Short mmCIF file of all heavy atoms in Angstrom, two decimals:
data_model
loop_
_atom_site.label_atom_id
_atom_site.label_comp_id
_atom_site.label_asym_id
_atom_site.label_seq_id
_atom_site.Cartn_x
_atom_site.Cartn_y
_atom_site.Cartn_z
N ASN A 274 -3.99 -0.51 -2.06
CA ASN A 274 -3.13 -1.03 -1.01
C ASN A 274 -3.76 -0.76 0.35
O ASN A 274 -4.80 -0.08 0.45
CB ASN A 274 -1.73 -0.39 -1.11
CG ASN A 274 -0.64 -1.30 -0.60
OD1 ASN A 274 -0.86 -2.12 0.29
ND2 ASN A 274 0.56 -1.15 -1.16
N VAL A 275 -3.11 -1.25 1.41
CA VAL A 275 -3.64 -1.08 2.77
C VAL A 275 -3.15 0.21 3.41
O VAL A 275 -3.52 0.52 4.54
CB VAL A 275 -3.24 -2.28 3.65
CG1 VAL A 275 -3.91 -3.55 3.15
CG2 VAL A 275 -1.73 -2.45 3.70
N GLY A 276 -2.31 0.96 2.73
CA GLY A 276 -1.81 2.23 3.23
C GLY A 276 -1.24 3.05 2.10
O GLY A 276 -0.92 2.51 1.03
N GLU A 277 -1.10 4.34 2.30
CA GLU A 277 -0.62 5.22 1.24
C GLU A 277 0.91 5.21 1.11
O GLU A 277 1.44 5.48 0.03
CB GLU A 277 -1.07 6.66 1.52
CG GLU A 277 -2.58 6.84 1.50
CD GLU A 277 -2.98 8.26 1.82
OE1 GLU A 277 -2.06 9.10 2.06
OE2 GLU A 277 -4.18 8.56 1.81
N GLU A 278 1.61 4.90 2.19
CA GLU A 278 3.06 5.02 2.19
C GLU A 278 3.72 3.97 1.29
O GLU A 278 3.28 2.82 1.24
CB GLU A 278 3.62 4.88 3.62
CG GLU A 278 3.05 5.85 4.63
CD GLU A 278 1.73 5.39 5.21
OE1 GLU A 278 1.25 4.29 4.84
OE2 GLU A 278 1.17 6.12 6.05
N PRO A 279 4.80 4.35 0.59
CA PRO A 279 5.58 3.37 -0.19
C PRO A 279 6.12 2.28 0.76
O PRO A 279 6.46 2.56 1.91
CB PRO A 279 6.73 4.20 -0.76
CG PRO A 279 6.23 5.60 -0.76
CD PRO A 279 5.33 5.72 0.44
N GLY A 280 6.15 1.06 0.28
CA GLY A 280 6.63 -0.04 1.12
C GLY A 280 5.54 -0.75 1.87
O GLY A 280 5.79 -1.76 2.54
N LYS A 281 4.30 -0.26 1.77
CA LYS A 281 3.17 -0.91 2.42
C LYS A 281 2.71 -2.13 1.63
O LYS A 281 2.98 -2.26 0.43
CB LYS A 281 2.00 0.06 2.53
CG LYS A 281 2.13 1.09 3.65
CD LYS A 281 1.69 0.48 4.97
CE LYS A 281 1.60 1.56 6.05
NZ LYS A 281 1.09 1.01 7.32
N GLY A 282 1.99 -3.02 2.31
CA GLY A 282 1.34 -4.13 1.61
C GLY A 282 2.15 -5.39 1.52
O GLY A 282 3.24 -5.52 2.09
N ASN A 283 1.62 -6.34 0.75
CA ASN A 283 2.30 -7.62 0.54
C ASN A 283 3.36 -7.48 -0.55
O ASN A 283 3.58 -6.40 -1.11
CB ASN A 283 1.28 -8.71 0.18
CG ASN A 283 0.43 -8.33 -1.02
OD1 ASN A 283 0.79 -7.47 -1.82
ND2 ASN A 283 -0.72 -8.98 -1.15
N GLU A 284 4.02 -8.59 -0.86
CA GLU A 284 5.11 -8.55 -1.83
C GLU A 284 4.62 -8.15 -3.22
O GLU A 284 5.32 -7.46 -3.97
CB GLU A 284 5.82 -9.91 -1.90
CG GLU A 284 6.77 -10.16 -0.75
CD GLU A 284 7.83 -9.07 -0.63
OE1 GLU A 284 8.48 -8.75 -1.66
OE2 GLU A 284 8.00 -8.52 0.47
N LEU A 285 3.41 -8.56 -3.57
CA LEU A 285 2.85 -8.18 -4.87
C LEU A 285 2.76 -6.66 -4.97
O LEU A 285 3.18 -6.07 -5.98
CB LEU A 285 1.47 -8.81 -5.05
CG LEU A 285 0.68 -8.35 -6.29
CD1 LEU A 285 1.41 -8.75 -7.57
CD2 LEU A 285 -0.73 -8.94 -6.28
N CYS A 286 2.22 -6.02 -3.96
CA CYS A 286 2.08 -4.56 -3.98
C CYS A 286 3.43 -3.86 -3.96
O CYS A 286 3.64 -2.86 -4.66
CB CYS A 286 1.23 -4.11 -2.79
SG CYS A 286 -0.51 -4.54 -2.92
N LYS A 287 4.37 -4.36 -3.17
CA LYS A 287 5.68 -3.73 -3.08
C LYS A 287 6.42 -3.78 -4.41
O LYS A 287 7.02 -2.79 -4.84
CB LYS A 287 6.52 -4.41 -2.00
CG LYS A 287 6.01 -4.19 -0.58
CD LYS A 287 6.81 -4.99 0.43
CE LYS A 287 6.27 -4.81 1.84
NZ LYS A 287 7.00 -5.62 2.84
N GLN A 288 6.38 -4.93 -5.08
CA GLN A 288 7.06 -5.06 -6.36
C GLN A 288 6.34 -4.28 -7.46
O GLN A 288 6.97 -3.67 -8.32
CB GLN A 288 7.18 -6.54 -6.75
CG GLN A 288 8.06 -7.36 -5.83
CD GLN A 288 9.46 -6.77 -5.71
OE1 GLN A 288 10.08 -6.39 -6.70
NE2 GLN A 288 9.96 -6.69 -4.48
N THR A 289 5.01 -4.30 -7.41
CA THR A 289 4.24 -3.56 -8.41
C THR A 289 4.49 -2.07 -8.28
O THR A 289 4.59 -1.35 -9.30
CB THR A 289 2.74 -3.85 -8.24
OG1 THR A 289 2.50 -5.26 -8.40
CG2 THR A 289 1.92 -3.11 -9.29
N TYR A 290 4.61 -1.58 -7.07
CA TYR A 290 4.86 -0.15 -6.83
C TYR A 290 6.12 0.29 -7.58
O TYR A 290 6.13 1.34 -8.24
CB TYR A 290 5.02 0.10 -5.34
CG TYR A 290 5.04 1.56 -4.95
CD1 TYR A 290 3.89 2.18 -4.46
CD2 TYR A 290 6.20 2.33 -5.06
CE1 TYR A 290 3.89 3.52 -4.11
CE2 TYR A 290 6.21 3.67 -4.71
CZ TYR A 290 5.05 4.26 -4.23
OH TYR A 290 5.07 5.59 -3.89
N LYS A 291 7.17 -0.51 -7.50
CA LYS A 291 8.43 -0.17 -8.18
C LYS A 291 8.24 -0.11 -9.69
O LYS A 291 8.76 0.79 -10.35
CB LYS A 291 9.50 -1.21 -7.83
CG LYS A 291 9.89 -1.27 -6.37
CD LYS A 291 10.91 -2.39 -6.15
CE LYS A 291 11.25 -2.55 -4.68
NZ LYS A 291 12.22 -3.65 -4.47
N LEU A 292 7.49 -1.07 -10.22
CA LEU A 292 7.29 -1.11 -11.67
C LEU A 292 6.45 0.07 -12.15
O LEU A 292 6.75 0.67 -13.19
CB LEU A 292 6.60 -2.42 -12.07
CG LEU A 292 7.36 -3.72 -11.80
CD1 LEU A 292 6.55 -4.92 -12.30
CD2 LEU A 292 8.73 -3.71 -12.44
N LEU A 293 5.42 0.41 -11.38
CA LEU A 293 4.56 1.52 -11.79
C LEU A 293 5.29 2.86 -11.70
O LEU A 293 5.01 3.78 -12.48
CB LEU A 293 3.30 1.55 -10.92
CG LEU A 293 2.36 0.34 -11.05
CD1 LEU A 293 1.11 0.55 -10.21
CD2 LEU A 293 1.99 0.07 -12.49
N GLN A 294 6.23 2.97 -10.77
CA GLN A 294 7.03 4.19 -10.69
C GLN A 294 7.84 4.42 -11.96
O GLN A 294 8.06 5.56 -12.37
CB GLN A 294 7.99 4.11 -9.50
CG GLN A 294 7.41 4.51 -8.16
CD GLN A 294 8.46 4.56 -7.08
OE1 GLN A 294 9.22 3.60 -6.89
NE2 GLN A 294 8.53 5.68 -6.38
N ALA A 295 8.27 3.32 -12.57
CA ALA A 295 9.13 3.42 -13.76
C ALA A 295 8.34 3.43 -15.07
O ALA A 295 8.91 3.67 -16.13
CB ALA A 295 10.12 2.25 -13.77
N ALA A 296 7.04 3.18 -14.99
CA ALA A 296 6.22 3.09 -16.20
C ALA A 296 5.87 4.48 -16.72
O ALA A 296 5.80 5.45 -15.96
CB ALA A 296 4.94 2.30 -15.90
N PRO A 297 5.62 4.59 -18.03
CA PRO A 297 5.25 5.88 -18.64
C PRO A 297 3.78 6.22 -18.42
O PRO A 297 2.99 6.34 -19.36
CB PRO A 297 5.57 5.66 -20.11
CG PRO A 297 5.34 4.20 -20.32
CD PRO A 297 5.78 3.54 -19.04
N ILE A 298 3.38 6.34 -17.16
CA ILE A 298 2.01 6.66 -16.78
C ILE A 298 2.07 7.71 -15.67
O ILE A 298 3.13 7.96 -15.08
CB ILE A 298 1.24 5.42 -16.27
CG1 ILE A 298 2.00 4.79 -15.09
CG2 ILE A 298 1.04 4.41 -17.39
CD1 ILE A 298 1.27 3.64 -14.44
N HIS A 299 0.93 8.30 -15.35
CA HIS A 299 0.85 9.26 -14.24
C HIS A 299 0.52 8.49 -12.97
O HIS A 299 -0.64 8.44 -12.53
CB HIS A 299 -0.21 10.31 -14.55
CG HIS A 299 -0.33 11.36 -13.48
ND1 HIS A 299 -1.39 12.23 -13.42
CD2 HIS A 299 0.47 11.67 -12.42
CE1 HIS A 299 -1.24 13.02 -12.37
NE2 HIS A 299 -0.13 12.70 -11.75
N PHE A 300 1.54 7.89 -12.36
CA PHE A 300 1.35 7.07 -11.17
C PHE A 300 1.37 7.96 -9.93
O PHE A 300 2.32 8.70 -9.69
CB PHE A 300 2.46 6.02 -11.08
CG PHE A 300 2.38 5.13 -9.87
CD1 PHE A 300 1.22 4.46 -9.56
CD2 PHE A 300 3.49 4.95 -9.04
CE1 PHE A 300 1.13 3.64 -8.45
CE2 PHE A 300 3.43 4.13 -7.93
CZ PHE A 300 2.24 3.47 -7.63
#
C-alpha cells in the first residue's frame, strides 16, 4: 500500500485490508 495506516490506499486496498484481518493468516 501507499502507507502503513489502516484506511490508506484505493478501494481495492481498503476492502482487501478488511478481508485479510478476518482471514486465518498472520496479517
Side-chain angles (χ1 to χ4, degrees):
N274 209 330
V275 295
E277 297 178 0
E278 304 84 0
K281 282 278 189 176
N283 55 20
E284 282 304 309
L285 173 63
C286 289
K287 292 175 182 177
Q288 295 305 314
T289 300
Y290 191 99
K291 297 177 184 179
L292 297 182
L293 296 184
Q294 276 187 309
I298 57 175
H299 182 193
F300 179 52

